[in-house]
Amino acid sequence: MTHSELSVLCKSCKINPVALTRFPPLACGDSETGKSANHLITSLLSSASGYSNYRGILNWCVVMLVLSNARLFLENIIKYGILVDPIQVVSLFLKDPYSWPAACLIIVSNVFILAALYIERRLAVGTISETTGLILHLFNLTSLLIFPSASVLTVTSITPVGGVLSLGTYTVLFLKLYSYMDSNKWCREIRQAKSNGSAVNTNVSYPGNLTHRDMYYFIFAPTLCYQLNFPRSPRIRKRFLIRRLFEMVPNHLIWLIFFYWFFHSSLNFVAELLQFGDREFYRDWWNSETVTYFWANWNIPVHKWCLRHFYKPMLRKGVNKFLAQTAVFLASAFFHEYLVSVPLKMFRLWAFMGMMAQVPLALFVSRFLNGNYGNAAVWISLIIGQPIAVLMYVHDYYVIHYGSTT
């Protein structure tokens, strides 16, 4: 600063030039923030500050979780030694090294995928009627649920882990192929309404979408709702891809970390590989003040499917809103029980009853609890409800398989 500039600054602030040279940041303001020394400043942790970047605190929580679990791991190793045979752990996934029934079951799912594609091709050219196509689709979708469950129940070499993986795959395919059927039906209706041979004026138009490439892109895309033209990113970012890949290694400590591993790391990894542009896999469910908000925001792909193909069609048919919401929970309860009971080969309905219990819980929380109290109720239901259901299945499974030997 020149002598003339210093003189002008001193006159405007009405201070002694000597004080300015000794304490320049305190005389007229903070040189780093640019704010006056007399300006009211709110502490960052105060709600009035508007500050919301707590990434460092989140990282601290993750580090503490890792360190605390590592401490428990080391203490157990020192006190008890290695109690689990690694070969037995591997055999849980691969019971017979020469026969992988769960993997074979997943490969067979291509039959149902191709069946849906060829049914739509016949519908597009008019060789089969809409009624015949609907019957064939419903038969294909019903078989998609019955065939894997029957295989898991009858093939003794399929382990519970293999059963969960295969049934999870078939459940996702069921939701995808149902959306595929519905969306192509809408395209045919639009084409008939416009009577110009094209459903929509976009990059891909119906029936040009009925290809193997389009079908399998949808099958692998991290979405359950089909559309002719998905939003696409301009390129695959290798650095982003590597970060998501490495994030899938350590994040298996608790349910919250599983959520981050699957909905953030894994789905973003797949989306980046496929240049899939819609990355809204979750919203701020951790701020849920009602149970319904939690279920609508923690799993966006499933929520979008339920809205598009189940909830809104029921409302359009005149079904009461509460009954439609209850029906959605009923369908969700069925699939939760389907994915647990069939692989374990026992039917206890704990998952089903746990999901249906969400309906009265949602009514209670929305009516009597608000704000932080509602958010606390949601967290309590997550912290207590899910572990209880898991423990019930573990208890029953142990009694059935090992109770007679003790």
Side-chain angles (χ1 to χ4, degrees):
M1 180 180 291
T2 63
H3 180 72
S4 58
E5 291 174 340
L6 183 61
S7 300
V8 172
L9 182 61
C10 294
K11 291 179 181 179
S12 62
C13 296
K14 299 180 180 179
I15 61 173
N16 191 328
V18 177
L20 182 62
T21 57
R22 290 182 179 178
F23 311 104
L26 300 178
C28 298
D30 191 337
S31 62
E32 295 183 359
T33 63
K35 295 180 180 179
S36 171
N38 297 325
H39 184 74
L40 295 176
I41 302 176
T42 306
S43 298
L44 287 182
L45 296 181
S46 300
S47 59
S49 68
Y51 183 79
S52 60
N53 185 10
Y54 298 103
R55 184 172 183 83
I57 296 178
L58 176 62
N59 291 334
W60 170 74
C61 293
V62 173
V63 170
M64 293 301 295
L65 281 173
V66 173
L67 292 178
S68 60
N69 281 272
R71 175 177 171 272
L72 291 174
F73 176 78
L74 290 176
E75 284 184 355
N76 280 278
I77 289 291
I78 295 172
K79 187 174 182 179
Y80 303 106
I82 300 177
L83 300 179
V84 180
D85 186 358
I87 297 177
Q88 292 181 351
V89 175
V90 176
S91 67
L92 179 65
F93 294 88
L94 309 173
K95 191 172 184 179
D96 186 351
Y98 302 102
S99 176
W100 295 5
C104 294
L105 190 60
I106 294 175
I107 293 174
V108 172
S109 65
N110 287 279
V111 174
F112 302 95
I113 297 172
L114 295 175
L117 174 61
Y118 294 141
I119 292 171
E120 284 300 327
R121 284 183 173 181
R122 301 283 75 79
L123 286 169
V125 297
T127 55
I128 60 176
S129 65
E130 288 290 335
T131 303
T132 303
L134 177 61
I135 294 173
L136 292 175
H137 270 306
L138 292 179
F139 178 79
N140 189 49
L141 290 171
T142 304
S143 303
L144 197 59
L145 293 180
I146 296 177
F147 170 72
S149 58
S151 300
V152 171
L153 291 173
T154 55
V155 178
T156 57
S157 58
I158 295 183
T159 63
V161 175
V164 169
L165 293 176
S166 56
L167 288 182
T169 300
Y170 273 84
T171 300
V172 170
L173 285 178
F174 173 86
L175 299 177
K176 282 177 175 283
L177 294 184
Y178 188 96
S179 178
Y180 189 76
M181 172 190 70
D182 251 9
S183 300
N184 282 293
K185 179 184 177 182
W186 297 335
C187 288
R188 288 192 297 275
E189 293 173 350
I190 295 174
R191 182 177 63 173
Q192 292 175 0
K194 291 185 175 181
S195 66
N196 61 359
S198 176
V200 278
N201 186 20
T202 51
N203 296 330
V204 177
S205 59
Y206 184 85
N209 62 308
L210 301 178
T211 63
H212 292 88
R213 179 187 178 90
D214 180 87
M215 168 62 93
Y216 278 96
Y217 180 86
F218 170 56
I219 293 300
F220 287 100
T223 181
L224 298 176
C225 295
Y226 177 76
Q227 59 189 69
L228 272 68
N229 296 280
F230 290 106
R232 301 289 295 272
S233 55
R235 62 183 179 86
I236 298 177
R237 297 167 292 176
K238 295 181 180 178
R239 183 176 298 179
F240 180 90
L241 199 65
I242 293 173
R243 287 180 59 188
R244 298 290 85 80
L245 177 62
F246 279 102
E247 282 178 348
M248 293 188 287
V249 178
N251 295 333
H252 60 277
L253 301 176
I254 56 175
W255 180 83
L256 288 176
I257 304 302
F258 168 79
F259 163 82
Y260 186 89
W261 165 78
F262 182 76
F263 285 95
H264 185 74
S265 302
S266 300
L267 293 186
N268 269 290
F269 179 83
V270 175
E272 191 66 24
L273 275 180
L274 299 177
Q275 297 177 260
F276 188 79
D278 185 1
R279 308 292 177 91
E280 190 182 33
F281 305 125
Y282 57 90
R283 298 193 188 108
D284 60 333
W285 58 264
W286 47 87
N287 293 327
S288 301
E289 297 180 359
T290 62
V291 175
T292 53
Y293 186 89
F294 167 79
W295 289 109
N297 289 277
W298 93 278
N299 189 340
I300 294 300
V302 170
H303 176 65
K304 286 182 177 179
W305 188 93
C306 290
L307 280 179
R308 188 187 191 197
H309 300 287
F310 197 56
Y311 181 73
K312 288 185 176 180
M314 293 182 69
L315 293 183
R316 286 194 292 267
K317 293 180 180 179
V319 178
N320 179 271
K321 185 177 180 180
F322 174 76
L323 292 178
Q325 290 177 342
T326 305
V328 171
F329 275 103
L330 184 65
S332 179
F334 165 78
F335 281 110
H336 277 77
E337 190 65 39
Y338 176 81
L339 291 173
V340 177
S341 290
V342 176
L344 295 178
K345 300 180 182 179
M346 65 178 192
F347 301 93
R348 295 295 186 272
L349 299 180
W350 300 123
F352 183 88
M353 291 188 293
M355 280 301 302
M356 293 309 299
Q358 299 294 308
V359 176
L361 178 64
L363 291 175
F364 176 82
V365 173
S366 62
R367 180 170 297 183
F368 298 105
L369 300 176
N370 297 314
N372 291 334
Y373 296 103
N375 182 252
V378 173
W379 275 110
I380 291 173
S381 68
L382 294 176
I383 294 171
I384 297 178
Q386 293 183 2
I388 289 178
V390 172
L391 287 175
M392 296 299 290
Y393 281 106
V394 171
H395 171 268
D396 292 350
Y397 187 84
Y398 182 85
V399 168
I400 291 175
H401 292 84
Y402 307 103
S404 60
T405 61
T406 58

